[in-house]
Amino acid sequence: MTDVLRILVAPLVWLAAFSGVYGLHGVGCAFGWADVELLSISLFRVALLAAWGAAVLLQLSLIPTLGSNRFGSAAPFVRRTSVALAWVGLVATLWTLLPVAVMSACD
Amino acid sequence: MSALRRHRRLTAIWASEPGWKGWFSTVNHTDVGRMFLATSFFFFLVGGILAMLIRAQLATPHSAFAGPEVYNQLFTMHGTIMMFLFAIPTFEGLAIYLLPKMLGTRDLAYPRLTAYGYWCYFFGGGMLLFSLLAGIAPDGGWFMYPPLTGPIYSPGINTDFWLIGITFVEISAICAAVEFCVSILRYRAPGMSLDKMPIFAWYALVTSLMILTGFPPLILGSVLLEVERAFGLPFFQAELGGDSLLWQHLFWLFGHPEVYIIFLPAAGVISTVIPVMCRTTLLGYGWVVAAAVALAFLSFGLWVHHMFTTGIPHMGLAFFSAASTLVAVPTGVQVFAWIGTMWKGRPELHLPMLHILGFFVTFVMGGLTGVMVAIVPFDWQAHDTAFVTAHLHYVLFGGFVFPILAAIYYWLPLFTGRTRFFKLGELAFGLIFVGFHGTFLAMHWVGLLGQRRRIETYDAEAGWTTINLVSSVSSFVLAIGLAMVLLDVLLHFVVAVRGRRNPWHAGSLEWAMPAPPPAYNFASLPVVETRDPVSSDPHLAVRLARGEGWLADPALDRRETLTVEPSSGTPEYMVIYPGNTRLPIVFAAITGLFFLSLLIKVYWLTPIALAGIATVGWRWVWSLAQPVDLGPQEAGRGERLPVSGETDRAPGWWGSAFLLAADATFFGSLLFGYAFLWTVAPGWPPPELLEPSLLELGVGLAGALVASIGMRIAIRGNRSRGTGVAGLAVALTGTAAAALAVASLMIRVPAPAGHAYDATLFVLGGYALFHAALAGLMQTFLIVRVRRGFTSPARRAEFPIVCLWADYLALVTILVLVVAHLPGWLA
Amino acid sequence: MFAGATLILAFVLVLLALAFRPRSVPPDERGQTRFWIIGLGLGFSMTILAALLAYGLTVGERLLPRDSAETVAVRAVAERWSWSFGYEELPGHVTENVLHIPAGRPVDVAITSVDVVHSFWVPRLAGKLDAIPGHVNVLRIEADAPGTYDGLTAEFNGEGYEEHEFLVIAHDEADWQAFLRGEAP
């Protein structure tokens, strides 16, 4: 069963990060956080970027973890697949949350 | 024992009752799978007829064929039937029929649940069919946006049929999904490790996990809307603090994964059929598995793309636009893996392959228009026009119907043991292909010209007349093609000649049995060493029939199979199935009575139905009683295995775990709804907050913890002394305390019908109370079990199951009480 | 976009057709995996999609309403099955099923609904935006030339859906001033 979890963990982390950032964005816009500024950068933008960065780091750390002897699977198939999906998680995190860096926040 | 004698003996043990009576008491997956498929194709026919009526109406401008009142029912029911009563049940039926055969086992994990799911589908579908025939069918569009479907603008019973009927049908999807997860992970032939699983099983596993997490938001939405309609608790009315956008979120949180829930099983069929049709193996098996998993997850990040025009901030849309483009990548990986497989082998143009080619053309086009509507500015124009209707038909017909037609023709020889006699299928394929593209290419075009979806007529000056006529005529060509497929299949059952086993020379295990398959599937269970066991051992079928595998000895007259450790496939324990019973149909009928009482608003019947459900449920579980310790049993090949009741992780524990995953998604969606209303809905914060009560909170939290700890004491007591009553009594007390606290919460909610805040708290409390009642019932059951001597240190499997539910109750109680009290404190 | 889609479709169809040509295949599974899955499945798809996404996001961002002194603000309130329009510069004045705007100037339409979900759509002026009870959504439209533009409701709302339409009249500067003085055309 742990093997099934190994396969699912990276996409699960993506899903959590994606929902989390979307939720953070929704809450921030609803409560007008976007208008709070510090040194001409919106604090809200900084928070979104930080959340994105944390998610990317977490995904990055999953790749060697799932490939390691300590945490990775003993079965070669599961190890390969889980590492491949860790890459999927990383790319998905970078790709789908890219808008926090380039889009206007609450328009 | 000779192969023939073993066959007779096993058939006597496994067969259903003869004749039509057998339909009502069968729990065999082959039978139930066939019943599922027959029913779902019946609904395909009904949905198809509705489609024809729609096209007849739109063929000419100002058609007087159907007025808006009828037309609105037509398109709503067409979508509803095709999605909920055709596509999902077809997957369920196909997987129920095939999975145990492909996995090399004798049945699914919970045979009675298989039958129960079927009857829920049957009765629920019957409700919707009745509404259609009586002219009181749902008419708010298949995604049922409130407030249009709310109590004010749809006072009739039409909408209730949808909300209640579909929820009833969803039960069968949830049951099937739980069952598939457990079956695929545990009920496999010995030696079948994860990397040797047939690719279809991977797809079915991924799809089932998606059903478990995708359907609960819709069920929640339906429950909330029905509660609003029937009892006036506002969730979607803006003037009372509700928000119609909440429905859109919940619906599409289900609705987009739904598209992939429909597509993935079809992709599983394609991945199975293409290699066989090309005399090779699937290119990049591991990649395809990874792509399927990635697709499943990404599809949960798409739901807002159905809401691009609702005024969500642009960055919010951008997340979903990005995810919607990214989801095309794993789809692309699969498509190219399939084409690569064709290049790797030597494709032969048999009939299933024709339909696969039809899939490629249609689905790729649907995918390309899908990428277009993923782009926000384009979608702002195309949204809610016939372009979107055309796009979704390309994806669903291309991505589901063509592969299913391929599946029908591919597995028909297994179903019937015959070969086709009349060659109607090839002509039918031509008509379907031409008819489909004629219909929906035209629809893309007219959509770009501005024709909205769901209009019942249009002006001749709009210039759409010719295009619509082309579309309608083509749709009738398509219908004739499908009717010919039906005729072909029916003729096949009647007049075709007996064929040989495994006509396609496929490598998977479903072909290592006689055709049509016997009730027990395999006379002895195979030992799997490769991904294509039949290719690597052409005589496998004969050897299994001779009893050279596991569980070859039918001496004990029991329905036996065995389970394996999920990743390695080493045998773990033996399962003894219950036999034929009418319990499933009775249980489903009583469940139906519950839904019916809500539908026709005869509320005195509701508690009676609930009591009936509890009683039958009790009997259901009670009948699994094992009066004495059996110890390890002979499993063949010189090995002995324990029986499932004498393990810590019995099938019931696994089933509960997966069911709780769905339950937790439901609860999570409810919490999301609470947070969503709080931040987005107009009219918040509410006029009056719940008065925090330390006593209520204290009793509830303590009760929750005691219920959980009590179960652990019970497990330990049973293990050391063979009795867990003391611990169970402690747990029951804790459960009662938790129930008391949440009931008090529900009573103290200021005005459930006055504001969405109060209504949400009331539902949260009700959710926890329901789980307390459930856990209490289980604990009482177990106490009775212990007292009657049906447990022992060895027969311990039921303790961990109840513990799981008690733990979940603890989690729910704590969260509900905390989120209910928090705002009051902070204020 | 449609040309690109046609090209991709043609590419896939050619690949499919070539699979049927007679040939002897070298059993090099590794190389094939690299070509089909990594090259085409991942590389090809991701390149195209990244370009498309970048394009979509930029265009979407450019379509966002930006503040400008020229902007005219109007209100659109949907109800089954009519639209009423109010004007910031002409308080109290309401027009039924006809929206008056100046041509050549950006107009912000604040859209809401008093009953069910509707959608405001003037195909020739902009994309659609929903009218949702309890919410106000703002859509930027701009008519380049004076004239009449058809508007539609684009979210199914019950039995009168098909007929639920309105008109947008874009005035030249003189007419618009006349409209604002209450000399309604």
Side-chain angles (χ1 to χ4, degrees), chain B residues 579-823:
Chain B
N580 298 333
T581 164
R582 288 191 179 73
L583 219 47
I585 187 172
V586 172
F587 199 17
I590 296 181
T591 315
L593 194 66
F594 167 74
F595 285 110
L596 192 67
S597 71
L598 295 175
L599 177 65
I600 56 176
K601 306 204 185 327
V602 184
Y603 294 123
W604 57 266
L605 200 58
T606 315
I608 298 177
L610 280 174
I613 290 174
T615 316
V616 179
W618 183 291
R619 269 202 58 187
W620 183 290
V621 189
W622 189 267
S623 60
L624 295 174
Q626 186 188 324
V628 288
D629 288 357
L630 292 174
Q633 300 281 298
E634 195 68 50
R637 301 174 68 94
E639 300 249 5
R640 298 178 75 83
L641 294 174
V643 292
S644 58
E646 300 179 5
T647 58
D648 289 318
R649 294 286 178 263
W653 187 90
W654 287 88
S656 296
F658 283 106
L659 186 57
L660 283 173
D663 203 355
T665 317
F666 183 93
F667 184 52
S669 310
L670 186 54
L671 291 178
F672 160 77
Y674 186 47
F676 176 82
L677 289 175
W678 199 283
T679 44
V680 175
W684 286 65
E688 190 190 350
L689 292 174
L690 179 84
E691 193 68 41
S693 153
L694 260 184
L695 180 68
E696 184 180 288
L697 198 65
V699 170
L701 298 194
L705 292 176
V706 168
S708 185
I709 294 166
M711 280 316 301
R712 283 172 172 73
I713 300 175
I715 291 176
R716 203 170 278 185
N718 179 63
R719 195 189 301 143
S720 56
R721 299 183 306 282
T723 166
V725 174
L728 286 169
V730 172
L732 190 58
T733 317
T735 306
L740 206 65
V742 290
S744 139
L745 169 74
M746 288 173 76
I747 294 168
R748 293 192 317 113
V749 166
H755 194 277
Y757 164 78
D758 309 79
T760 312
L761 284 195
F762 193 79
V763 169
L764 278 166
Y767 178 82
L769 188 62
F770 169 75
H771 282 82
L774 203 60
L777 192 66
M778 289 179 175
Q779 285 151 354
T780 315
F781 176 89
L782 202 48
I783 291 175
V784 179
R785 273 277 222 233
V786 177
R787 300 295 292 257
R788 297 274 182 88
F790 283 111
T791 59
S792 74
R795 281 169 287 144
R796 58 190 185 274
E798 281 163 354
F799 285 91
I801 299 175
V802 179
C803 185
L804 205 55
W805 287 89
D807 289 351
Y808 185 70
L809 168 69
L811 177 79
V812 166
T813 311
I814 293 170
L815 278 175
V816 165
L817 288 173
V818 168
V819 298
H821 282 79
L822 208 55

Side-chain angles (χ1 to χ4, degrees), chain B residues 467-481:
Chain B
I467 312 175
N468 273 305
L469 190 64
V470 168
S471 177
S472 292
V473 170
S474 306
S475 77
F476 279 85
V477 175
L478 168 63
I480 293 169

Side-chain angles (χ1 to χ4, degrees), chain A residues 51-66:
Chain A
W52 185 32
V56 169
L57 282 180
L58 191 58
Q59 292 283 6
L60 266 176
S61 70
L62 277 177
I63 297 172
T65 310
L66 286 167

Side-chain angles (χ1 to χ4, degrees), chain C residues 21-149:
Chain C
R21 75 194 189 279
R23 67 196 182 279
S24 58
V25 230
D28 169 27
E29 179 119 12
R30 247 192 127 75
Q32 283 173 326
T33 309
R34 200 171 303 144
F35 175 72
W36 288 101
I37 290 173
I38 300 179
L40 286 174
L42 291 172
F44 174 72
S45 315
M46 282 174 80
T47 317
I48 290 189
L49 291 165
L52 193 63
L53 179 66
Y55 165 78
L57 293 185
T58 349
V59 173
E61 191 80 346
R62 226 183 303 135
L63 286 177
L64 282 179
R66 297 269 171 244
D67 291 336
S68 118
E70 291 251 273
T71 313
V72 177
V74 299
R75 261 175 76 77
V77 180
E79 144 173 49
R80 300 205 299 174
W81 288 273
S82 65
W83 287 87
S84 52
F85 300 100
Y87 304 86
E88 194 185 60
E89 293 165 61
L90 197 59
H93 188 76
V94 170
T95 53
E96 291 291 328
N97 293 326
V98 181
L99 170 63
H100 299 273
I101 59 168
R105 282 172 66 185
V107 179
D108 276 349
V109 190
I111 303 162
T112 189
S113 161
V114 294
D115 47 24
V116 304
V117 179
H118 304 270
S119 193
F120 178 97
W121 188 30
V122 187
R124 285 160 64 203
L125 298 186
K128 23 183 116 51
L129 199 60
D130 289 355
I132 300 167
H135 294 270
V136 177
N137 289 329
V138 178
L139 179 70
R140 170 73 53 92
I141 61 174
E142 183 167 345
D144 293 333
T148 309
Y149 300 84

Side-chain angles (χ1 to χ4, degrees), chain B residues 489-525:
Chain B
V489 172
L490 288 180
L491 283 174
H492 182 92
F493 275 91
V494 188
V495 295
V497 287
R498 287 209 64 85
R500 63 201 154 84
R501 182 191 305 194
N502 198 1
W504 311 113
H505 308 287
S508 46
L509 280 172
E510 79 269 28
W511 300 101
M513 62 179 70
Y520 55 83
N521 284 350
F522 301 95
S524 61
L525 301 188

Side-chain angles (χ1 to χ4, degrees), chain B residues 213-247:
Chain B
T213 40
F215 278 36
L218 174 67
I219 297 177
L220 173 70
S222 304
V223 169
L224 296 184
L225 186 51
E226 186 54 33
V227 166
E228 171 173 311
R229 291 174 56 84
F231 306 111
L233 269 61
F235 296 99
F236 307 109
Q237 297 169 24
E239 50 289 4
L240 294 175
D243 195 337
S244 56
L245 278 179
L246 174 60
W247 170 272

Side-chain angles (χ1 to χ4, degrees), chain B residues 2 12 60 64 188 230 236 262 304 338 363 373 401 427 467 488 565 629 680 716 759:
Chain B
S2 75
T60 50
R188 301 199 294 259
F236 307 109
I262 292 174
V304 169
W338 293 326
F363 185 76
V373 287
V401 179
L427 179 59
I467 312 175
D488 197 26
E565 194 276 320
D629 288 357
V680 175
R716 203 170 278 185

